[in-house]
Each structure stands twice: as C-alpha cells, then as structure tokens.
Amino acid sequence: MRIKKTPVLRHQLLAGTMLAALAVGSSFTVANAAADFIAVNGDVRTVDPNTPRAEAFAVENGKFVAVGTSAEIRALADGKTTVLDLAGKTVTPGFIDGHTHLTSGTDYVTGVDLSYIPDKETWLKRIKEADERLPPGVWITGGGWDYTLKEGKLPTKEDIDAVVKDRPVVLRDIDFHSIWVNSKALEIAGVTAKSEVPAGGEIVLDAKTGEPTGILLEGAGDLVTNKKPAYSDKERAEALLQTVKFANSVGLTGVHDMSSIAAAYDYLKLVEDKSLSLRVWYGFFEDKAANIPAAAKDREAVDSRVAASGETKVKGPLLTVGYAKSVVDGVLSTHTAYMLENYSDRTGWKGEPFQSEADLATLIKAANENGFPTAVHAIGDAGVQMTLNAFEKGQSPGKYPNRVEHIEIINPADIERFKTLGIVASMQPNHATGTIGKYITERVGPERESHAYVWKSLLQHKVPVVFGSDWATSPLSPLTQINDAVFRESPFGLGDGPWHPEQAVTFDEALFAYTQAGANMTPWADQIGSISTGKWADFVVLDAKLPDPVDRSIRKRHVEATYVAGTEVYRAK
Ligand SMILES: [Zn+2]
C-alpha cells in the first residue's frame, strides 16, 4: 500500500506525534509509508489559509501528502526517499499567470527579447548573440524595445546594420505599435520611401536623406512581416516548447493563455508528445456568438485527446479550452482606450468601443450557455462600464466566473458591481508601473489618475483579483510583477517614488493573486494553487529567503528551481 491511498493529513501531523499520524490509516505501516521525495528546512509560503507557513513537505505520486515542520516530514522518509534540503530558502506554490499570449510571443524566446533593457548598447549585443546562435538565413525576430526608458530617440536601421547585415532583423516595440528593422529586411520586402502604406501606417523617413530610417509604424510593419517565411508545424511546436520552458524558468506552472482556437492544438501536440510542463487554461479569441458552438466541439476534441494521452494521470490537469476572449477597446498609450470623459491630452476625444454593448451581451450569452466563461479586454473606464453592463444583460455564469481583463481606469461606482455580478478582475501590475512617469498622468489627468490600477480597492470590495503579465507586453516573471504590485514604482526611476501607494497590495495578497486566485477560476481550484495536502506538487524554490516583511530586495531574487507534479522542470545553472 502506498501513502497516497491513506494520506497523512497535515492537521493530524501537526496535532501530535508520528504515532498519532500512523494510527489514522488502518493498514498504514512504517515499512511502506515513505514518501518519494521530501523538501525540508525551508521558508514555505503555502498560500493555504489553514497553514500559511511551514518548513517542509512530502511528495508521493506527484502530490503533496504532508506539510509541516522539518522533523515531522523527515519522519516520513526512508532510505529510498529523495531529500531536498532547502537551506532556509523561500518556497512558494507554482505561479499561475492569469493572462498570457505564449503562442504569439515565441519569437521573443527563440529570437531576441529586449524588454526591460533600457540601453541600445545591450539591445545590439542581444541581436548579435542571436545572429551567432541562429542558423544562417533565419530571420531574427522578437523585440520588446522601449526607447523612452533611456535612449530618448528611436533607433535606426544603421544601428542594426552595424551588427547584422546579411539577414533580416525585425523587432517589435514593447507596445506592438512599431517595428525596427535593418536594411536587409527593407531590401527583401522592397520597402522604400515611395512604398504605398496601409491606412494608419507610416514609414518613418530621415529628415535629411528622405530615406526610411528603419522604423515602421502600425500597419506599415506588415510590409515587412508579411514577407517572413511561415513556421512549419514542427518549428511552431519547437518554438512553443522553448517558450513553455522559459515560463518554467521564471516559476510558472500554470497560465491562462489566449490566442486563436487553432493555437490550442499546438499545446495539444505538446501534451501528446508528453512534453508539456505547464498547465494551460486556454482562452480563444471570438467576437461572433455564432462561432461559439464550434469552439465547444474543439473543447470536446481537445479534452478527449488529452485524456487519451494518459498524461493527466501522472501530471494532473494540463490543458482544456476553457473560455472565450473578446475585446471592447484599445490602450491608453495610443488614445484607443474607451473613456467616459475626454482624454486630458486630446480635446473632444474619448475613444470608441470596438463593438456594441448589445453584441457583446449576445456573445457572452452564447459563450456562457456553451459552458465558456468570457474574458473581456476593457482598459478605459467606459470600456469597463460597458463590459459590466453586457455581463449584467447576457451572463448566465456556470461553474467558472466571467472576467474583465486589464481594467486600467475604473469609475469608482463600478468597483462594487464586480462583486455584485461575480466578475473576476484580471490585472497586470507591470502595466501600471510601466506607465509611471511616461503617459498615464498626461492621458487621464490628476483626478482620474487615482482611479487607475485600483488593485487594493477591488480587494477591499472583496472582488476576486487575479494577476498576470499579458506577456509579451510586460515581463513574464511573476517575481517582477509581484514586486510591481507591492511597491508601485517605475522600475526605471521615472516619476517620484511610489505612485498612488494606497493601491499597493501586500506580498501575501500579490502571491495569492499569482497562485490560488488563478486556480480558482478553473476546474482545478482543488488540485493546484497552494502547497496543501492532496494537491499536485507544483512549487517554486527561490535562490534565497525573502525577508519578513518582504522588501525591495525581492528585485534581486531569482527562481532556483520549478517543480510540476513533483518533477523538476527547471533548475538554474
Ligand atoms: Zn492580452
């Protein structure tokens, strides 16, 4: 008999001696009670309200079977048990990111990731490294550059030409509104100063020479990106696998990922290859109610093939087509977020919704009736309000809650409506800190600024808040996002110190929002999200102990190891 069949319950362990625990199961004997693996001597932040802190835990058949003191857990080991000495380091549950786009960001992992790097010198170094790493002829893609952090002016094609001449380099900026290319990319795409540009786009020209500078705005970027050879199925799967491993390296064991319904099958391929080391609650983009029943068929197909793979027996839940995703407005940086009142820096302009409230309500109704909760991107306060109205009209929530994504500005009166309507607030801390000192005050003015990124107010109104990154628009690292949630400071020293610190959250609140909160919105709430007896053993070991209370030294912390279902899926070299 294995320990899993008669689990030693945590409260029983804590209640007394091993003898007391051994008395629980009638056929439980010392000889065969040993765990596969124990971790001892740690600072374990369980996110389990019954035992928020522990020193140690035991894992058997991929699940936590006991959580307690080092002495209690050591007693569950025998000669065959693997012992992980945590040496006092902090351990958390595996992180769950509530909003990612991994399938569309793979080129940041296979190519170049310049996000969070302020200086051009380092950008060029990374581009050169990619050139040395990638096979000849392969395009160098990716991006994440942001010239406002330090450089103060746009980069040029000559900058890249100095390090990579003989293959195209095409790099998106952090906001996805412009691309930076080298001369080879312009040449292959046949882009010149005279090229015809799609509406709203622009080929930026040098004021002196009249030639393209290497910056293409909005739709003009398509002139080059459309010429890039498409990935084969095999290349796409390989790129996604690398991206999943990157996610594991920052401590993620689960994501709420969003893209087309087709991309769900890319994850399915990884499940069937037995290589998926990340739990994926998948959201498909859909604006038409009529298409929802087809997505329900996809869910059925994916679920049955996941079950047939046998993977969930050993790893626990891995993949399902969980929810529909829709979009009602744009973003504040480009004045496309839909506002109740005019922008402070553009007279007579509030933005416009991308769809009508009635159409959105119809979509929500169809999705909910087919068992799909709906996630709606809404950034401006009018976008958020319209989305809540549509939920009020159309929703028939099933087991899993509907949700609003981003909520960058909110009318204070709408906060309570989240609670009343049972809607989850899905928010990205680094989107707030990334705007400090850059454009948030300009766009909305000092009065509305206090209605921006109101994490604490939502929590005070008992609204479920889930955190995430919206990667690749902000760093995938949960430690970075948690730091941003706790300190609300520009990482680049812009602005004056903490920004509206009244909306900062505690470390424990941020950790919950990055673990159990993400599990609570899925069928897996009782299976993942905390270090609790009976749950799948997903956890993260940091490279040191976090101080109490957590201070700014969290910025120096890294993930040392990540485990999914008790198996190590990442270890820092
Ligand atoms: Zn997104």
Side-chain angles (χ1 to χ4, degrees), residues 220-260:
D222 297 346
L223 297 173
V224 172
T225 53
N226 287 345
K227 293 287 192 291
K228 181 180 175 281
Y231 281 142
S232 68
D233 286 357
K234 189 163 171 280
E235 285 168 334
R236 221 173 47 246
E238 174 54 31
L240 182 57
L241 182 59
Q242 275 191 48
T243 306
V244 164
K245 287 182 175 165
F246 170 57
N248 291 150
S249 79
V250 294
L252 288 169
T253 59
V255 290
H256 298 187
D257 202 52
M258 294 160 230
S259 187
S260 66

mmCIF file of all heavy atoms in Angstrom, residues 220-260:
data_model
loop_
_atom_site.group_PDB
_atom_site.id
_atom_site.type_symbol
_atom_site.label_atom_id
_atom_site.label_comp_id
_atom_site.label_asym_id
_atom_site.label_seq_id
_atom_site.Cartn_x
_atom_site.Cartn_y
_atom_site.Cartn_z
ATOM 1 N N ALA A 220 2.276 49.744 -41.395
ATOM 2 C CA ALA A 220 3.440 49.737 -42.284
ATOM 3 C C ALA A 220 4.363 48.563 -41.955
ATOM 4 O O ALA A 220 5.096 48.070 -42.820
ATOM 5 C CB ALA A 220 4.197 51.057 -42.176
ATOM 6 N N GLY A 221 4.307 48.118 -40.715
ATOM 7 C CA GLY A 221 5.123 46.971 -40.306
ATOM 8 C C GLY A 221 4.795 45.715 -41.092
ATOM 9 O O GLY A 221 5.664 44.878 -41.348
ATOM 10 N N ASP A 222 3.506 45.600 -41.513
ATOM 11 C CA ASP A 222 3.085 44.411 -42.263
ATOM 12 C C ASP A 222 3.847 44.269 -43.577
ATOM 13 O O ASP A 222 4.000 43.166 -44.090
ATOM 14 C CB ASP A 222 1.579 44.473 -42.575
ATOM 15 C CG ASP A 222 0.731 44.471 -41.307
ATOM 16 O OD1 ASP A 222 1.286 44.153 -40.232
ATOM 17 O OD2 ASP A 222 -0.472 44.794 -41.389
ATOM 18 N N LEU A 223 4.291 45.406 -44.142
ATOM 19 C CA LEU A 223 5.025 45.351 -45.412
ATOM 20 C C LEU A 223 6.227 44.423 -45.284
ATOM 21 O O LEU A 223 6.597 43.730 -46.226
ATOM 22 C CB LEU A 223 5.503 46.761 -45.817
ATOM 23 C CG LEU A 223 4.412 47.806 -46.091
ATOM 24 C CD1 LEU A 223 5.034 49.178 -46.314
ATOM 25 C CD2 LEU A 223 3.567 47.397 -47.298
ATOM 26 N N VAL A 224 6.829 44.407 -44.108
ATOM 27 C CA VAL A 224 7.988 43.545 -43.882
ATOM 28 C C VAL A 224 7.578 42.200 -43.276
ATOM 29 O O VAL A 224 7.984 41.142 -43.761
ATOM 30 C CB VAL A 224 9.018 44.249 -42.965
ATOM 31 C CG1 VAL A 224 10.124 43.283 -42.559
ATOM 32 C CG2 VAL A 224 9.612 45.463 -43.665
ATOM 33 N N THR A 225 6.735 42.238 -42.225
ATOM 34 C CA THR A 225 6.432 40.978 -41.522
ATOM 35 C C THR A 225 5.692 39.983 -42.423
ATOM 36 O O THR A 225 5.852 38.779 -42.264
ATOM 37 C CB THR A 225 5.615 41.230 -40.234
ATOM 38 O OG1 THR A 225 4.462 42.002 -40.568
ATOM 39 C CG2 THR A 225 6.420 41.994 -39.205
ATOM 40 N N ASN A 226 4.914 40.489 -43.399
ATOM 41 C CA ASN A 226 4.216 39.580 -44.317
ATOM 42 C C ASN A 226 5.171 38.788 -45.204
ATOM 43 O O ASN A 226 4.792 37.782 -45.789
ATOM 44 C CB ASN A 226 3.239 40.356 -45.209
ATOM 45 C CG ASN A 226 2.018 40.817 -44.433
ATOM 46 O OD1 ASN A 226 1.773 40.335 -43.322
ATOM 47 N ND2 ASN A 226 1.263 41.751 -44.988
ATOM 48 N N LYS A 227 6.404 39.254 -45.318
ATOM 49 C CA LYS A 227 7.389 38.570 -46.166
ATOM 50 C C LYS A 227 8.155 37.484 -45.409
ATOM 51 O O LYS A 227 8.935 36.738 -45.992
ATOM 52 C CB LYS A 227 8.398 39.588 -46.721
ATOM 53 C CG LYS A 227 7.788 40.588 -47.696
ATOM 54 C CD LYS A 227 7.495 39.903 -49.031
ATOM 55 C CE LYS A 227 7.170 40.869 -50.145
ATOM 56 N NZ LYS A 227 5.907 41.572 -50.013
ATOM 57 N N LYS A 228 7.934 37.431 -44.111
ATOM 58 C CA LYS A 228 8.672 36.451 -43.299
ATOM 59 C C LYS A 228 8.128 35.048 -43.576
ATOM 60 O O LYS A 228 6.922 34.835 -43.557
ATOM 61 C CB LYS A 228 8.492 36.786 -41.813
ATOM 62 C CG LYS A 228 9.233 35.861 -40.882
ATOM 63 C CD LYS A 228 8.991 36.272 -39.423
ATOM 64 C CE LYS A 228 9.634 35.289 -38.470
ATOM 65 N NZ LYS A 228 8.872 34.065 -38.263
ATOM 66 N N PRO A 229 9.011 34.070 -43.846
ATOM 67 C CA PRO A 229 8.526 32.714 -44.110
ATOM 68 C C PRO A 229 7.757 32.172 -42.898
ATOM 69 O O PRO A 229 8.185 32.382 -41.761
ATOM 70 C CB PRO A 229 9.812 31.898 -44.324
ATOM 71 C CG PRO A 229 10.913 32.889 -44.471
ATOM 72 C CD PRO A 229 10.484 34.165 -43.840
ATOM 73 N N ALA A 230 6.615 31.495 -43.155
ATOM 74 C CA ALA A 230 5.810 30.953 -42.051
ATOM 75 C C ALA A 230 6.535 29.762 -41.425
ATOM 76 O O ALA A 230 7.277 29.056 -42.099
ATOM 77 C CB ALA A 230 4.451 30.514 -42.576
ATOM 78 N N TYR A 231 6.312 29.554 -40.126
ATOM 79 C CA TYR A 231 6.863 28.376 -39.448
ATOM 80 C C TYR A 231 6.166 27.113 -39.944
ATOM 81 O O TYR A 231 4.960 27.117 -40.203
ATOM 82 C CB TYR A 231 6.593 28.462 -37.943
ATOM 83 C CG TYR A 231 7.518 29.356 -37.152
ATOM 84 C CD1 TYR A 231 7.022 30.126 -36.106
ATOM 85 C CD2 TYR A 231 8.887 29.395 -37.412
ATOM 86 C CE1 TYR A 231 7.858 30.930 -35.344
ATOM 87 C CE2 TYR A 231 9.727 30.199 -36.655
ATOM 88 C CZ TYR A 231 9.210 30.963 -35.626
ATOM 89 O OH TYR A 231 10.026 31.739 -34.872
ATOM 90 N N SER A 232 6.897 26.021 -40.030
ATOM 91 C CA SER A 232 6.261 24.719 -40.242
ATOM 92 C C SER A 232 5.632 24.292 -38.910
ATOM 93 O O SER A 232 5.939 24.867 -37.862
ATOM 94 C CB SER A 232 7.307 23.690 -40.676
ATOM 95 O OG SER A 232 8.189 23.441 -39.590
ATOM 96 N N ASP A 233 4.762 23.267 -38.955
ATOM 97 C CA ASP A 233 4.151 22.764 -37.715
ATOM 98 C C ASP A 233 5.231 22.371 -36.709
ATOM 99 O O ASP A 233 5.110 22.632 -35.514
ATOM 100 C CB ASP A 233 3.271 21.536 -38.007
ATOM 101 C CG ASP A 233 1.968 21.936 -38.682
ATOM 102 O OD1 ASP A 233 1.745 23.158 -38.864
ATOM 103 O OD2 ASP A 233 1.186 21.032 -39.033
ATOM 104 N N LYS A 234 6.273 21.733 -37.224
ATOM 105 C CA LYS A 234 7.341 21.251 -36.347
ATOM 106 C C LYS A 234 8.083 22.433 -35.708
ATOM 107 O O LYS A 234 8.359 22.426 -34.509
ATOM 108 C CB LYS A 234 8.307 20.394 -37.173
ATOM 109 C CG LYS A 234 9.335 19.649 -36.366
ATOM 110 C CD LYS A 234 9.970 18.519 -37.197
ATOM 111 C CE LYS A 234 11.147 17.907 -36.470
ATOM 112 N NZ LYS A 234 12.375 18.716 -36.587
ATOM 113 N N GLU A 235 8.371 23.451 -36.520
ATOM 114 C CA GLU A 235 9.070 24.624 -35.980
ATOM 115 C C GLU A 235 8.215 25.331 -34.928
ATOM 116 O O GLU A 235 8.716 25.809 -33.918
ATOM 117 C CB GLU A 235 9.393 25.615 -37.112
ATOM 118 C CG GLU A 235 10.545 25.184 -37.994
ATOM 119 C CD GLU A 235 10.663 26.015 -39.277
ATOM 120 O OE1 GLU A 235 9.637 26.563 -39.749
ATOM 121 O OE2 GLU A 235 11.768 26.099 -39.803
ATOM 122 N N ARG A 236 6.890 25.387 -35.209
ATOM 123 C CA ARG A 236 5.995 26.063 -34.269
ATOM 124 C C ARG A 236 5.949 25.316 -32.934
ATOM 125 O O ARG A 236 5.990 25.911 -31.866
ATOM 126 C CB ARG A 236 4.601 26.182 -34.878
ATOM 127 C CG ARG A 236 3.952 27.513 -34.604
ATOM 128 C CD ARG A 236 2.649 27.724 -35.339
ATOM 129 N NE ARG A 236 1.759 26.599 -35.247
ATOM 130 C CZ ARG A 236 1.395 25.848 -36.280
ATOM 131 N NH1 ARG A 236 1.837 26.114 -37.485
ATOM 132 N NH2 ARG A 236 0.582 24.828 -36.112
ATOM 133 N N ALA A 237 5.883 23.985 -33.010
ATOM 134 C CA ALA A 237 5.841 23.191 -31.780
ATOM 135 C C ALA A 237 7.144 23.349 -30.999
ATOM 136 O O ALA A 237 7.139 23.491 -29.773
ATOM 137 C CB ALA A 237 5.591 21.720 -32.107
ATOM 138 N N GLU A 238 8.254 23.354 -31.721
ATOM 139 C CA GLU A 238 9.560 23.504 -31.070
ATOM 140 C C GLU A 238 9.661 24.876 -30.386
ATOM 141 O O GLU A 238 10.127 24.994 -29.257
ATOM 142 C CB GLU A 238 10.671 23.309 -32.111
ATOM 143 C CG GLU A 238 12.080 23.561 -31.632
ATOM 144 C CD GLU A 238 12.473 22.765 -30.384
ATOM 145 O OE1 GLU A 238 11.962 21.632 -30.187
ATOM 146 O OE2 GLU A 238 13.263 23.296 -29.592
ATOM 147 N N ALA A 239 9.176 25.915 -31.077
ATOM 148 C CA ALA A 239 9.224 27.266 -30.508
ATOM 149 C C ALA A 239 8.326 27.359 -29.273
ATOM 150 O O ALA A 239 8.683 27.992 -28.272
ATOM 151 C CB ALA A 239 8.793 28.290 -31.557
ATOM 152 N N LEU A 240 7.158 26.706 -29.323
ATOM 153 C CA LEU A 240 6.254 26.752 -28.170
ATOM 154 C C LEU A 240 6.863 25.995 -26.989
ATOM 155 O O LEU A 240 6.784 26.444 -25.845
ATOM 156 C CB LEU A 240 4.878 26.178 -28.541
ATOM 157 C CG LEU A 240 3.833 26.218 -27.420
ATOM 158 C CD1 LEU A 240 3.620 27.640 -26.892
ATOM 159 C CD2 LEU A 240 2.499 25.634 -27.889
ATOM 160 N N LEU A 241 7.507 24.870 -27.289
ATOM 161 C CA LEU A 241 8.139 24.106 -26.212
ATOM 162 C C LEU A 241 9.230 24.940 -25.529
ATOM 163 O O LEU A 241 9.317 24.980 -24.300
ATOM 164 C CB LEU A 241 8.726 22.800 -26.767
ATOM 165 C CG LEU A 241 9.382 21.879 -25.731
ATOM 166 C CD1 LEU A 241 8.382 21.470 -24.649
ATOM 167 C CD2 LEU A 241 9.969 20.637 -26.398
ATOM 168 N N GLN A 242 10.030 25.633 -26.319
ATOM 169 C CA GLN A 242 11.064 26.509 -25.735
ATOM 170 C C GLN A 242 10.425 27.591 -24.870
ATOM 171 O O GLN A 242 10.961 27.976 -23.834
ATOM 172 C CB GLN A 242 11.855 27.204 -26.852
ATOM 173 C CG GLN A 242 12.997 26.392 -27.413
ATOM 174 C CD GLN A 242 13.883 27.271 -28.304
ATOM 175 O OE1 GLN A 242 14.269 28.373 -27.935
ATOM 176 N NE2 GLN A 242 14.183 26.784 -29.494
ATOM 177 N N THR A 243 9.270 28.088 -25.316
ATOM 178 C CA THR A 243 8.585 29.154 -24.580
ATOM 179 C C THR A 243 8.004 28.621 -23.268
ATOM 180 O O THR A 243 8.051 29.292 -22.237
ATOM 181 C CB THR A 243 7.502 29.780 -25.479
ATOM 182 O OG1 THR A 243 8.127 30.193 -26.698
ATOM 183 C CG2 THR A 243 6.844 30.971 -24.819
ATOM 184 N N VAL A 244 7.474 27.395 -23.316
ATOM 185 C CA VAL A 244 6.970 26.757 -22.095
ATOM 186 C C VAL A 244 8.117 26.591 -21.094
ATOM 187 O O VAL A 244 7.970 26.854 -19.897
ATOM 188 C CB VAL A 244 6.318 25.397 -22.435
ATOM 189 C CG1 VAL A 244 6.141 24.545 -21.193
ATOM 190 C CG2 VAL A 244 4.974 25.617 -23.133
ATOM 191 N N LYS A 245 9.283 26.204 -21.601
ATOM 192 C CA LYS A 245 10.440 26.039 -20.705
ATOM 193 C C LYS A 245 10.882 27.382 -20.130
ATOM 194 O O LYS A 245 11.300 27.460 -18.973
ATOM 195 C CB LYS A 245 11.592 25.360 -21.452
ATOM 196 C CG LYS A 245 11.295 23.891 -21.684
ATOM 197 C CD LYS A 245 12.423 23.178 -22.384
ATOM 198 C CE LYS A 245 12.106 21.684 -22.457
ATOM 199 N NZ LYS A 245 12.965 20.993 -23.413
ATOM 200 N N PHE A 246 10.782 28.414 -20.938
ATOM 201 C CA PHE A 246 11.084 29.757 -20.435
ATOM 202 C C PHE A 246 10.101 30.113 -19.308
ATOM 203 O O PHE A 246 10.491 30.649 -18.269
ATOM 204 C CB PHE A 246 11.003 30.771 -21.583
ATOM 205 C CG PHE A 246 11.066 32.207 -21.147
ATOM 206 C CD1 PHE A 246 12.141 32.678 -20.404
ATOM 207 C CD2 PHE A 246 10.047 33.099 -21.475
ATOM 208 C CE1 PHE A 246 12.204 34.007 -19.992
ATOM 209 C CE2 PHE A 246 10.096 34.422 -21.069
ATOM 210 C CZ PHE A 246 11.181 34.876 -20.320
ATOM 211 N N ALA A 247 8.827 29.774 -19.503
ATOM 212 C CA ALA A 247 7.823 30.043 -18.464
ATOM 213 C C ALA A 247 8.174 29.287 -17.183
ATOM 214 O O ALA A 247 8.120 29.843 -16.081
ATOM 215 C CB ALA A 247 6.432 29.654 -18.966
ATOM 216 N N ASN A 248 8.576 28.030 -17.310
ATOM 217 C CA ASN A 248 9.004 27.262 -16.133
ATOM 218 C C ASN A 248 10.198 27.939 -15.452
ATOM 219 O O ASN A 248 10.317 27.933 -14.231
ATOM 220 C CB ASN A 248 9.426 25.837 -16.528
ATOM 221 C CG ASN A 248 8.275 24.951 -16.997
ATOM 222 O OD1 ASN A 248 8.483 24.065 -17.820
ATOM 223 N ND2 ASN A 248 7.073 25.161 -16.491
ATOM 224 N N SER A 249 11.077 28.544 -16.239
ATOM 225 C CA SER A 249 12.305 29.126 -15.673
ATOM 226 C C SER A 249 12.017 30.353 -14.810
ATOM 227 O O SER A 249 12.838 30.728 -13.982
ATOM 228 C CB SER A 249 13.297 29.492 -16.784
ATOM 229 O OG SER A 249 12.930 30.717 -17.411
ATOM 230 N N VAL A 250 10.868 30.993 -15.007
ATOM 231 C CA VAL A 250 10.510 32.120 -14.140
ATOM 232 C C VAL A 250 9.527 31.677 -13.052
ATOM 233 O O VAL A 250 8.988 32.501 -12.324
ATOM 234 C CB VAL A 250 9.955 33.326 -14.938
ATOM 235 C CG1 VAL A 250 11.043 33.918 -15.829
ATOM 236 C CG2 VAL A 250 8.717 32.956 -15.750
ATOM 237 N N GLY A 251 9.297 30.370 -12.940
ATOM 238 C CA GLY A 251 8.489 29.841 -11.840
ATOM 239 C C GLY A 251 7.042 29.548 -12.191
ATOM 240 O O GLY A 251 6.249 29.208 -11.320
ATOM 241 N N LEU A 252 6.688 29.676 -13.471
ATOM 242 C CA LEU A 252 5.293 29.415 -13.834
ATOM 243 C C LEU A 252 5.045 27.915 -13.984
ATOM 244 O O LEU A 252 5.825 27.204 -14.621
ATOM 245 C CB LEU A 252 4.936 30.126 -15.144
ATOM 246 C CG LEU A 252 4.818 31.646 -15.024
ATOM 247 C CD1 LEU A 252 4.743 32.289 -16.403
ATOM 248 C CD2 LEU A 252 3.594 32.032 -14.199
ATOM 249 N N THR A 253 3.936 27.477 -13.395
ATOM 250 C CA THR A 253 3.487 26.095 -13.581
ATOM 251 C C THR A 253 2.099 26.069 -14.204
ATOM 252 O O THR A 253 1.575 25.011 -14.509
ATOM 253 C CB THR A 253 3.466 25.340 -12.242
ATOM 254 O OG1 THR A 253 2.590 26.034 -11.339
ATOM 255 C CG2 THR A 253 4.857 25.266 -11.632
ATOM 256 N N GLY A 254 1.498 27.266 -14.369
ATOM 257 C CA GLY A 254 0.189 27.346 -15.000
ATOM 258 C C GLY A 254 -0.006 28.707 -15.643
ATOM 259 O O GLY A 254 0.581 29.700 -15.197
ATOM 260 N N VAL A 255 -0.801 28.743 -16.714
ATOM 261 C CA VAL A 255 -1.130 30.014 -17.370
ATOM 262 C C VAL A 255 -2.580 29.984 -17.835
ATOM 263 O O VAL A 255 -3.145 28.916 -18.085
ATOM 264 C CB VAL A 255 -0.243 30.298 -18.610
ATOM 265 C CG1 VAL A 255 1.189 30.609 -18.201
ATOM 266 C CG2 VAL A 255 -0.276 29.150 -19.612
ATOM 267 N N HIS A 256 -3.159 31.186 -17.941
ATOM 268 C CA HIS A 256 -4.405 31.364 -18.673
ATOM 269 C C HIS A 256 -3.953 31.987 -19.988
ATOM 270 O O HIS A 256 -3.662 33.178 -20.042
ATOM 271 C CB HIS A 256 -5.347 32.317 -17.946
ATOM 272 C CG HIS A 256 -5.762 31.840 -16.585
ATOM 273 N ND1 HIS A 256 -6.709 32.483 -15.842
ATOM 274 C CD2 HIS A 256 -5.360 30.782 -15.838
ATOM 275 C CE1 HIS A 256 -6.880 31.842 -14.684
ATOM 276 N NE2 HIS A 256 -6.064 30.812 -14.664
ATOM 277 N N ASP A 257 -3.827 31.161 -21.016
ATOM 278 C CA ASP A 257 -3.222 31.631 -22.260
ATOM 279 C C ASP A 257 -4.301 31.916 -23.294
ATOM 280 O O ASP A 257 -5.340 31.263 -23.307
ATOM 281 C CB ASP A 257 -2.248 30.577 -22.795
ATOM 282 C CG ASP A 257 -1.232 31.190 -23.743
ATOM 283 O OD1 ASP A 257 -0.598 32.176 -23.342
ATOM 284 O OD2 ASP A 257 -1.092 30.698 -24.876
ATOM 285 N N MET A 258 -4.049 32.907 -24.147
ATOM 286 C CA MET A 258 -5.076 33.336 -25.104
ATOM 287 C C MET A 258 -4.514 33.539 -26.494
ATOM 288 O O MET A 258 -3.492 34.183 -26.659
ATOM 289 C CB MET A 258 -5.668 34.683 -24.663
ATOM 290 C CG MET A 258 -6.430 34.604 -23.381
ATOM 291 S SD MET A 258 -6.589 36.231 -22.609
ATOM 292 C CE MET A 258 -6.034 35.827 -20.963
ATOM 293 N N SER A 259 -5.230 32.983 -27.455
ATOM 294 C CA SER A 259 -4.940 33.243 -28.868
ATOM 295 C C SER A 259 -6.082 32.632 -29.669
ATOM 296 O O SER A 259 -7.182 32.472 -29.143
ATOM 297 C CB SER A 259 -3.584 32.649 -29.256
ATOM 298 O OG SER A 259 -3.254 33.037 -30.566
ATOM 299 N N SER A 260 -5.807 32.268 -30.924
ATOM 300 C CA SER A 260 -6.859 31.667 -31.745
ATOM 301 C C SER A 260 -7.156 30.253 -31.248
ATOM 302 O O SER A 260 -6.333 29.639 -30.565
ATOM 303 C CB SER A 260 -6.382 31.587 -33.186
ATOM 304 O OG SER A 260 -5.298 30.678 -33.248
#
